[in-house]
Amino acid sequence: MQDQYLLENRAGDAPVLETSAASPAHLTRLKRVRWREWPIEMLLFGAAGFSILINVGIVGTLIYESLVFFRHVSLWDFLTDPLWTPLFADPHYGILPLLCGTVMTSLIALAVAVPVGTIIALYLSEFASPWVREAIKPVLELLSAVPTVVFGYFALLFMTPLLQKFIPDLPGFNMLSAGLVMGIMIIPYVSSLSEDAMQAVPMLLREGAYACGANRLTTALRVVFPAALSGIGASYILAISRAVGETMIVAVAAGMQPNLTWNPLKGAATVTAYIVQVSLGDLPHGSIGYQTIFAAGLALFLLTLVFNILGHLLRRRFREVY
Amino acid sequence: MADKLSRATLVKPSSRMAAKAHLEPVENLFMNPEAAPAGHVCKASVRNLNFFYGNNQVLKSVSLDFYQNRVTALIGPSGCGKTTLLRCFNRMHDLYPHTRYEGEIILYPDGINIIHPDTNPLEMRLRIGMVFQKPNPFPKSIFENVAFGLRLRGVRGSLLQDKVEAALNAAALWEETKDRLRESAYKLSGGQQQRLCIARALAADPEILLFDEPTSALDPVATARIEELIISLKSRVTIIIVTHNMQQAGRLSDFTGFLYLGELIEFDRTATMFTTPAHPMTQDYLTGRFG
Amino acid sequence: MREMDSYIARSLWQDRMFACLGVLCTVFGLAALCALLVKLALDGASRIDWQFFFSYPSRHASRAGILSAWVGTLVVMSVTFCTAIPLGIAAGIYLEEYARKNWLTHIIEVNIANLAGVPSIIFGLMALGLLVYLLHLGQSVLAAGLTLGFLVLPIVIVATREALRAIPTEIREASYALGASKWQTVWHHLLPYASGGIATGVIIAMSRAIGETAPLITIGALTFIAFLPPSPVSPSPPFLSLDWLHSAFTVLPIQMFNWVSRPQQEFHLNAAATGLVLIVFTLSLNALAIIIRYRMRRRIKW
C-alpha cells in the first residue's frame, strides 16, 4: 500500500516543477526545461509502448497466418482429428497427437521438477543456514541458464543410454528421457521462486508455530507452505509454461514423429518440435503444409497464455496477503 | 520478612563467574524454592542469566523468581532486554544464529534448567506457551489454529473437539466463534485474533504462559478484554507479561521486575514497587522521567 | 511424560530425515549440472583446437569447425545488444520514473509480463511472418538479432525497474531539492546508482540470447554456412558498410543442433565441443552477473 503511494507520488512531475516560487523569470525557465524534456519523455514512452507492438505483432501474425490454414482445414477437424500427417499424400491436420506429446513430456518434467524443486525450496528456506542458502541458490540457478540445445544433447546421449541400461528396449528417441532432462532444467524455476515466496512469510508466523512446540518439518509443511501457497503455485505455473514451450530438448531427444500415445517410452513430436521440423524442411512459404506451423503456434500461444494469466492472478493474490 | 522480598541488587558478579555460571550454579538463597514469600510457590527461577547476540551482551546477570498462579510483569524502556528475557523461557532465541545463553532458568517442580544445551527446546515450548506482540494466527481455520498444538501431541477425535472448545471458552472466544469454526482465522478482528492466539497457547495446557506486549497492536476496547482475560487465567497458569505500559503492569500484575540496559534494577510486589520504589531509577521511570 | 519424550524423539527424527531428503534433492540438482558439464567435457574436449575454431563446417566430421558459427553468434548478438539494451532500459526508466498510474501503463505492464511468458519459438513465428516476409528482411543477421532482442527485452526491462526501485526516494528528493529536472535526476543520479543492477540484467539477457536456438531455426537460419558475413569496414568510401546485416548466418547453438541430429557419432563429438564452447560462454556470463550482484550488495547499503 505504501509502495503504491510512493509510486504514485514519484510518478507525478518532479516536485520542483509544481511548487517553485512564482517569480516570472523562474517560471519561464521551468517551462523551458519542461518543454525541452518533453521529447525525452515521449522517447521513453515509445520504448515502453514498443512491448505492445511486439505483442500485437505476435498475435496478429499467428492469427493472420493461421487464417490461411483454417481456410483449408475446419477448426473441428483441427481439434478432433487423431492424425497429424500434413506432409503425407493424404494429409490430416489433427493437433491432438502434437498436444499429446507436449502434455506427456511436460507431465514427466513436472513430476521431476515439482517435488524436487519444492523439497529444495523447503530445505533451503527452513532448514539450511543462510550461508548455505546464499551459496547454493545461484549455483542451482545456473541449471536454467544452460542453453536448451545442450540439454538436448545431454538427454539424447547421456540420459537415454543411462535409461537403456534399466529399460533395454527403450528406443533412441523417447519422451521419458526428454521429459526427465526438461524436469532437471526447470527445477530452479520451482525452487528459487518457491523459496522466495517462503522467505516472504513473516518470521512471526514461524515463531508462532515453534512456540506451540512444532518441529521444523511441521512448521515448514503446515504453516510456511500454506502461507506461501499462492507464490509457490505461481512458480509451478511458470514451470508448466516453460515445459510446454520448451523446444530444443524435445526436438533433439523425443523424436519428431507425431504419435498419439500415452506411453512415455515411445518417441513423439510435441507442438514445438513439429514447428522446428517444418522450419528445417524446404516447404515453400504460403503452402498449406507450411501454414500448419502457425496454427500449431497459435494453439501453443493460447495454452501458455492461459497459464500466464493464471500465474499472474496467483502472484497478485500473493502480493495482497502481505 | 513475610511480604518483603530480598531485592535484586545491582552488584555484578565477576565476568569469570558469569562465564562459568551454567556449569557450576552459584549456591545462594534463591536456589531454594522454599524462599518464596508466604503463600507463594516458586515456578521458575532465573539465576545469573547472561544473554548475547554475537558479542553484544543483552542481559547482564539477571536473577529473579516467578511464582505459580501469579502474574509477573517485566517493564522497562525499549531495548532494556525484557522481551529478550521472556524469549529465553521458550528458547525462541535458538531459532536465530549467533545467540548464546549463560546462567540458568530453573523450571519447578522438576528442577530442569530451561536454557541448558541438553534441554530440548521442543519440550520447553510444549510446556511453556507464548502470545506475541502482534496476533499471528496461522493461515488456517479457527478450529485448526487452536487444534495445532494438540495435533502435535497426537490428540484426535472427540477429545480434540472438546479441548478446542474448552480452550476457546477459556479465551472468551467460544460464543463469538462457535458457529464459524471452519472459517479462516484471518476473518476475525485484531482483538479476536489475539484471543485466538491465547486459546491456541492455552489448548496445550501450558505451565507458564508468556505474553510479549500482547495488546500493543490493539485498540483500547480489545485491550480491556485481553486484560480481563489475563486476570481470569491466573488460576490456571503462571503468567509472565512484558509490557511497555506501566498502567497495564499496575492493573494486571502481582509482581513486577524493572529492567534497564539488560540489568534487573528492582523486583518487588507490584503494589510496593509502584508506591514506594526502592531504587531511584525505578522511581524516575515510573514517574515518566525517562523511558 | 513418556508421551512427550516420544514426541520429541519423533520430531527430531522427522527433522533429520527431511534435512537428509533436502540435501539429497539439492545434491541431485547439482549432480545433474556436474554430469552435464562432465559429459560435454569428456566428449568434446578432444575436438577443441585452433583448427576447430577456424574451420568452416564440412562433410567430414574431423575437418569441420565452428568459424562461421561463432562469428555468426557475435554479429547476431551485436544486433541483439543494440536492440534490447536501449529499448529495455528506456522502457524501464519510463515505467519506473515517468509513468502515471493509469490504464495505459497497466496495459504496458501486462504486455511486458506476457512477453516474458511467451515461449521463445513463438517469437520465431512472429519474426518469420513479420520481419522475414512482411518487412522483407529475409533470413538475415538483422532479422535474427531483432528477434532475439525482442525475446530478451522483458529481462532487461524488469532488471532496470528493479534496480531503479531499489534506490530510495530520498535520493530523488535530494536531487529535485537542488533544482534538477526529472531527466537530470535520472541521468546524473538514478542511472549511475542503478548501473550495477542493470548490468546484471543485461548480462543475463545476453547469456539467454546466446543459447537460444528455436526462434532462429524458425526464421530459417541455415545450418551449413561456409562463408563469413561481409566485413563492416570497406577499403573504399564510404568505408562503413551495413551489408553484413543482410547476410545469411548460422550461430553456435544451431550448429550444435545440426551436428547432434546427425546419426554419425563423429559429428556428436563436434556437437559436444560446440556445446562446451557455448556453455563456457553462458556460464561465465552468469558467473559474472552473480559476482556483480554479490559485490553490489556488499558495497551499497542504503
Side-chain angles (χ1 to χ4, degrees):
Chain A
M1 201 54 225
Q2 201 184 3
D3 263 10
Q4 217 168 53
Y5 165 75
L6 287 178
L7 207 74
E8 272 169 341
N9 212 20
R10 216 194 292 154
D13 279 337
V16 66
L17 296 184
E18 302 283 19
T19 58
S20 54
S23 92
H26 204 138
L27 271 184
T28 32
R29 193 186 79 83
L30 285 177
K31 269 185 192 153
R32 213 165 50 231
V33 169
R34 177 182 272 187
W35 182 82
R36 210 172 53 217
E37 290 201 350
W38 185 78
I40 295 179
E41 185 169 344
M42 280 299 105
L43 222 61
L44 296 177
F45 173 74
F50 197 76
S51 61
I52 302 183
L53 282 186
I54 302 178
N55 261 312
V56 169
I58 289 175
V59 177
T61 310
L62 290 179
I63 291 180
Y64 175 79
E65 303 273 356
S66 300
L67 280 181
V68 180
F69 170 81
F70 282 117
R71 231 174 276 146
H72 291 83
V73 182
S74 75
L75 187 63
W76 179 250
D77 284 348
F78 182 66
L79 291 178
T80 56
D81 196 327
L83 284 177
W84 179 266
T85 53
L87 312 179
F88 286 15
D90 170 32
H92 284 272
Y93 301 99
I95 191 81
L96 281 180
L98 298 182
L99 280 182
C100 170
T102 294
V103 168
M104 274 309 288
T105 48
S106 300
L107 281 181
I108 297 168
L110 291 172
V112 175
V114 166
V116 174
T118 310
I119 290 173
I120 290 178
L122 282 168
Y123 172 71
L124 289 182
S125 168
E126 305 300 316
F127 286 75
S129 67
W131 183 86
V132 172
R133 179 167 65 231
E134 293 305 310
I136 296 281
K137 231 177 137 183
V139 179
L140 268 180
E141 278 168 15
L142 288 183
L143 264 182
S144 60
V146 171
T148 55
V149 64
V150 175
F151 271 117
Y153 177 91
F154 185 66
L156 182 69
L157 296 171
F158 180 86
M159 192 57 87
T160 301
L162 187 71
L163 292 173
Q164 277 166 340
K165 286 193 182 130
F166 303 100
I167 313 165
D169 51 353
L170 188 72
F173 293 124
N174 63 80
M175 292 191 278
L176 181 62
S177 151
L180 288 179
V181 171
M182 200 149 89
I184 292 172
M185 181 191 81
I186 57 179
I187 285 175
Y189 288 104
V190 176
S191 68
S192 276
L193 292 176
S194 297
E195 205 258 347
D196 289 345
M198 292 176 196
Q199 286 293 301
V201 173
M203 201 57 207
L204 192 65
L205 219 52
R206 281 187 196 93
E207 287 187 350
Y210 284 120
C212 286
N215 59 356
R216 280 184 189 276
L217 184 63
T218 312
T219 308
L221 290 182
R222 295 226 243 134
V223 174
V224 177
F225 188 89
L229 195 59
S230 47
I232 295 170
S235 84
Y236 293 170
I237 300 276
L238 179 71
I240 296 175
S241 160
R242 289 284 157 195
V244 167
E246 174 46 41
T247 311
M248 296 319 291
I249 298 178
V250 284
V252 171
M256 296 198 181
Q257 282 308 311
N259 195 351
L260 187 57
T261 173
W262 300 107
N263 181 356
L265 303 181
K266 294 247 173 70
T270 62
V271 178
T272 51
Y274 173 74
I275 297 173
V276 166
Q277 186 196 12
V278 171
S279 304
L280 286 172
D282 42 12
L283 286 170
H285 178 70
S287 69
I288 177 73
Y290 197 88
Q291 294 311 109
T292 55
I293 63 174
F294 289 101
L298 186 63
L300 183 67
F301 178 77
L302 292 178
L303 203 60
T304 50
L305 188 67
V306 170
F307 289 127
N308 286 343
I309 291 171
L310 223 69
H312 180 74
L313 293 179
L314 274 175
R315 269 194 300 276
R316 207 172 57 185
R317 217 191 109 197
F318 177 61
R319 265 204 301 272
E320 272 167 12
V321 176
Y322 304 116
Chain B
M1 153 72 203
D3 282 331
K4 199 73 187 167
L5 284 162
S6 311
R7 295 212 161 94
T9 56
L10 274 168
V11 181
K12 284 185 216 167
S14 74
S15 57
R16 192 162 50 85
M17 194 173 122
K20 281 170 68 182
H22 67 286
L23 301 172
E24 298 169 41
V26 187
E27 282 294 334
N28 66 16
L29 177 72
F30 294 104
M31 281 311 289
N32 185 359
E34 316 295 306
H40 291 70
V41 178
C42 187
K43 183 64 198 165
S45 307
V46 177
R47 289 291 163 264
N48 291 316
L49 178 68
N50 293 301
F51 181 79
F52 301 85
Y53 281 119
N55 292 323
N56 185 15
Q57 186 167 6
V58 190
L59 291 177
K60 296 168 187 164
S61 190
V62 171
S63 299
L64 76 165
D65 290 332
F66 296 90
Y67 301 108
Q68 195 155 346
N69 298 106
R70 295 290 179 276
V71 178
T72 307
L74 299 173
I75 60 169
S78 52
C80 71
K82 53 192 193 298
T83 296
T84 308
L85 174 59
L86 191 77
R87 289 160 68 94
C88 288
F89 276 84
N90 63 350
R91 297 277 294 267
M92 244 13 192
H93 300 300
D94 287 35
L95 299 176
Y96 302 91
H98 314 301
T99 53
R100 189 156 54 87
Y101 312 87
E102 279 173 9
E104 43 186 28
I105 302 177
I106 306 291
L107 186 65
Y108 295 108
D110 47 351
I112 187 171
N113 178 4
I114 294 177
I115 56 173
H116 195 274
D118 291 344
T119 305
N120 193 305
L122 281 187
E123 183 185 342
M124 290 306 114
R125 293 174 194 151
L126 289 172
R127 293 174 58 179
I128 300 175
M130 183 164 181
V131 176
F132 294 81
Q133 236 179 49
K134 283 199 308 197
N136 58 348
F138 303 134
K140 297 169 179 292
S141 68
I142 294 169
F143 181 88
E144 284 303 323
N145 261 282
V146 182
F148 185 83
L150 297 167
R151 285 194 195 277
L152 292 179
R153 291 164 175 74
V155 181
R156 261 173 252 289
S158 61
L159 184 62
L160 183 72
Q161 308 270 350
D162 295 345
K163 287 205 165 196
V164 168
E165 181 178 340
L168 283 169
N169 256 320
L173 198 60
W174 176 250
E175 286 305 316
E176 293 153 73
T177 57
K178 63 182 176 194
D179 301 323
R180 44 196 288 216
L181 289 175
R182 301 287 155 197
E183 277 178 35
S184 162
Y186 290 136
K187 288 196 176 161
L188 298 174
S189 72
Q192 287 174 322
Q193 287 188 8
Q194 192 64 305
R195 274 181 281 146
L196 181 69
C197 293
I198 294 175
R200 184 173 75 191
L202 279 176
D205 269 323
E207 298 167 35
I208 300 180
L209 200 48
L210 310 170
F211 286 88
D212 182 7
E213 303 192 19
T215 59
S216 63
L218 302 181
D219 61 73
V221 178
T223 300
R225 295 206 62 172
I226 300 276
E227 288 187 4
E228 263 170 55
L229 179 59
I230 291 175
I231 291 171
S232 76
L233 289 175
K234 228 162 68 167
S235 55
R236 313 176 36 141
V237 61
T238 306
I239 290 171
I240 309 176
I241 177 168
V242 162
T243 176
H244 59 260
N245 179 337
M246 279 172 286
Q247 284 77 28
Q248 187 170 59
R251 284 193 296 266
L252 292 179
S253 66
D254 306 297
F255 294 90
T256 300
F258 171 57
L259 286 100
Y260 184 65
L261 295 179
E263 293 179 81
L264 181 69
I265 305 295
E266 186 169 352
F267 177 67
D268 210 330
R269 283 186 184 282
T270 304
T272 316
M273 189 194 277
F274 276 56
T275 47
T276 52
H279 200 284
M281 217 183 250
T282 316
Q283 181 150 26
D284 286 352
Y285 181 70
L286 290 173
T287 52
R289 226 166 285 170
F290 75 97
Chain C
M1 219 54 219
R2 179 126 33 83
E3 260 171 47
M4 192 182 278
D5 285 344
S6 81
Y7 166 73
I8 289 169
R10 201 171 61 237
S11 299
L12 292 179
W13 184 80
Q14 282 176 346
D15 276 1
R16 221 166 289 143
M17 289 319 282
F18 190 85
C20 288
L21 188 65
V23 171
L24 216 67
C25 285
T26 312
V27 168
F28 171 77
L30 299 178
L33 185 63
C34 289
L36 180 86
L37 296 176
V38 169
K39 169 76 180 160
L40 275 183
L42 284 182
D43 291 358
S46 62
R47 284 293 291 124
I48 292 198
D49 51 21
W50 285 116
Q51 180 265 333
F52 186 67
F53 276 101
F54 290 103
S55 305
Y56 292 110
S58 154
R59 273 183 295 124
H60 305 283
S62 58
R63 262 188 267 153
I66 55 171
L67 177 62
S68 50
W70 68 257
V71 172
T73 289
L74 227 56
V75 294
V76 170
M77 282 311 121
S78 63
V79 176
T80 301
F81 190 89
C82 296
T83 319
I85 290 11
L87 263 182
I89 295 178
I93 292 173
Y94 178 79
L95 289 173
E96 206 54 36
E97 301 295 327
Y98 284 84
R100 285 151 208 278
K101 230 183 149 38
N102 57 20
W103 59 272
L104 191 59
T105 309
H106 185 69
I107 287 184
I108 293 177
E109 283 177 345
V110 167
N111 270 282
I112 292 171
N114 186 52
L115 281 188
V118 169
S120 62
I121 197 160
I122 300 287
F123 279 90
L125 289 176
M126 181 270 282
L128 179 65
L130 211 62
L131 301 180
V132 175
Y133 290 111
L134 200 66
L135 298 179
H136 299 292
L137 295 182
Q139 293 154 349
S140 62
V141 169
L142 184 60
L146 288 176
T147 310
L148 294 184
F150 297 162
L151 178 66
V152 298
L153 190 61
I155 304 180
V156 182
I157 295 177
V158 169
T160 306
R161 293 189 69 176
E162 274 175 7
L164 287 173
R165 207 175 301 152
I167 300 174
T169 323
E170 289 80 7
I171 301 272
R172 295 174 179 82
E173 285 169 357
S175 172
Y176 291 142
L178 292 172
S181 71
K182 190 151 212 162
W183 177 246
Q184 285 165 335
T185 304
V186 170
W187 187 252
H188 293 292
H189 295 283
L190 303 186
L191 276 184
Y193 305 149
S195 58
I198 297 176
T200 316
V202 167
I203 292 170
I204 297 282
M206 294 316 285
S207 110
R208 169 93 193 275
I210 286 178
E212 268 310 332
T213 324
L216 299 188
I217 292 179
T218 314
I219 65 168
L222 299 178
T223 49
F224 194 92
I225 296 262
F227 55 87
L228 294 182
S231 161
V233 283
S234 54
S236 59
F239 302 113
L240 283 178
S241 129
L242 290 177
D243 284 346
W244 58 277
L245 282 176
H246 299 289
S247 164
F249 69 98
T250 188
V251 289
L252 283 168
I254 290 183
Q255 187 64 66
M256 177 173 181
F257 174 63
N258 175 251
W259 279 332
V260 78
S261 333
R262 295 196 190 190
Q264 301 96 326
Q265 226 214 316
E266 306 86 79
F267 281 109
H268 290 169
L269 298 188
N270 285 358
T274 317
L276 206 55
V277 174
L278 203 53
I279 212 168
V280 165
F281 252 126
T282 49
L283 291 195
S284 36
L285 278 179
N286 275 276
L288 186 67
I290 292 173
I291 290 168
I292 292 180
R293 203 185 305 158
Y294 179 73
R295 288 183 54 172
M296 209 167 54
R297 209 185 307 164
R298 273 210 322 202
R299 207 181 55 222
I300 302 180
K301 292 255 173 2
W302 297 111

